[in-house]
Amino acid sequence: EAYLQSIWPSVLLVLKKHRCDGELNLTEGSITVKTTKKTWDPYAIINARDFVKLLSRSVPLSQASKIFQEDMSMEIIKIGTFVRSKERFVKRRQRILGPEGKTLKALELLTECYILVQGKTVSAMGPYKGLRAVKQIVEGCMQNIHPIYGLKQLLIKRELSKDDRMKTETWDKWLPHFKKTHLKRAKRKKVRRDKKLDYTPFPPAPQKSKLDIALETGEYF
């Protein structure tokens, strides 16, 4: 909220440039975008909504304002529901970034998208084809498939697309395929019962207390 409040005058300038208007309500914690009488593009309100969504995910204003371009789309991928364990979630989210952010940078270069990992969401912004690849790799990473497999596929596809002869052929034999391997666990030993116990619908008799035993034997008296 503090970040949005500080840049709100600049946000209004961007919205007014595209014939839209906005309202920041700090008491309710909500942002409203709306069209004006000067709005001529019907899709401008959708772009304004996506613009505000990106700002709420801490995307810089200069980057978020590019959503108004014709070839730009955005996707906010929720990654918090894939893993229950917090430690495992942090490790898998770190895989998306990679050492010193190199994996994320490689993914941005291959997909031509801007990607920001924030909390339990991944904000992506770019062409539709690149966004689809980003979503597939990010969701695969949270399902324990390393992003390097997705990056290899993107590299091979880019090289194959340059060859005119390969446009009419299938690329399956050149693309790497990932197979999940499950570790074998030790099987539990089954306890065999030689004699089958007779079934009775009645519960077993309760154990006698020391007082009951003393009364039966006469020691109590």
Side-chain angles (χ1 to χ4, degrees):
E1 288 184 2
Y3 169 69
L4 283 169
Q5 194 176 358
S6 62
I7 63 165
W8 189 246
S10 303
V11 172
L12 285 175
L13 287 172
V14 174
L15 289 171
K16 284 177 181 177
K17 186 180 176 182
H18 298 279
R19 310 292 194 278
C20 292
D21 199 5
E23 185 182 344
L24 177 65
N25 195 332
L26 293 172
T27 54
E28 293 181 2
S30 63
I31 300 171
T32 309
V33 288
K34 53 191 175 183
T35 56
T36 60
K37 290 180 180 179
K38 294 180 181 179
T39 307
W40 57 271
D41 184 8
Y43 203 74
I45 189 67
I46 305 295
N47 286 333
R49 180 202 64 186
D50 294 342
F51 173 60
V52 168
K53 275 186 180 180
L54 289 166
L55 290 173
S56 65
R57 301 312 309 164
S58 301
V59 176
L61 178 65
S62 57
Q63 184 65 38
S65 59
K66 292 178 183 178
I67 195 67
F68 289 98
Q69 296 175 11
E70 288 185 5
D71 58 338
M72 278 286 176
S73 302
M74 59 83 70
E75 182 84 32
I76 293 175
I77 308 156
K78 294 179 181 179
I79 56 173
T81 55
F82 285 95
V83 187
R84 290 183 182 179
S85 172
K86 190 177 179 181
E87 291 179 7
R88 197 174 293 173
F89 168 76
V90 172
K91 282 181 182 178
R92 290 184 186 179
R93 187 181 63 180
Q94 187 60 34
R95 277 186 202 168
I96 301 168
L97 298 169
E100 299 176 2
K102 288 179 181 177
T103 306
L104 189 70
K105 193 68 181 174
L107 187 58
E108 284 181 337
L109 289 169
L110 289 169
T111 57
E112 298 177 357
C113 292
Y114 172 84
I115 306 164
L116 178 71
V117 182
Q118 178 80 14
K120 293 184 179 180
T121 58
V122 177
S123 304
M125 185 181 163
Y128 177 74
K129 192 177 179 181
L131 287 176
R132 191 171 59 180
V134 169
K135 188 175 182 180
Q136 188 180 353
I137 291 168
V138 168
E139 288 182 352
C141 182
M142 297 310 294
Q143 291 169 352
N144 205 18
I145 300 171
H146 204 281
I148 197 69
Y149 293 100
L151 292 172
K152 278 183 180 179
Q153 280 191 348
L154 290 172
L155 274 169
I156 293 164
K157 281 179 181 178
R158 191 170 72 172
E159 292 300 318
L160 289 170
S161 63
K162 291 176 183 177
D163 193 353
D164 294 331
R165 293 175 297 174
M166 301 305 299
K167 288 181 180 179
T168 55
E169 295 185 20
T170 56
W171 297 350
D172 292 337
K173 55 185 176 181
W174 284 284
L175 296 174
H177 298 285
F178 177 76
K179 291 182 180 179
K180 281 190 175 182
T181 54
H182 297 282
L183 296 172
K184 291 182 179 180
R185 295 180 182 179
K187 293 182 179 179
R188 292 181 182 178
K189 293 181 179 179
K190 293 182 179 179
V191 180
R192 292 183 179 180
R193 292 181 180 177
D194 297 331
K195 293 181 181 180
K196 290 184 178 180
L197 299 172
D198 296 329
Y199 173 73
T200 54
F202 304 105
Q207 290 184 352
K208 292 181 180 179
S209 63
K210 291 181 180 180
L211 182 63
D212 294 333
I213 295 166
L215 287 167
E216 283 183 2
T217 54
E219 291 178 6
Y220 181 79
F221 304 104

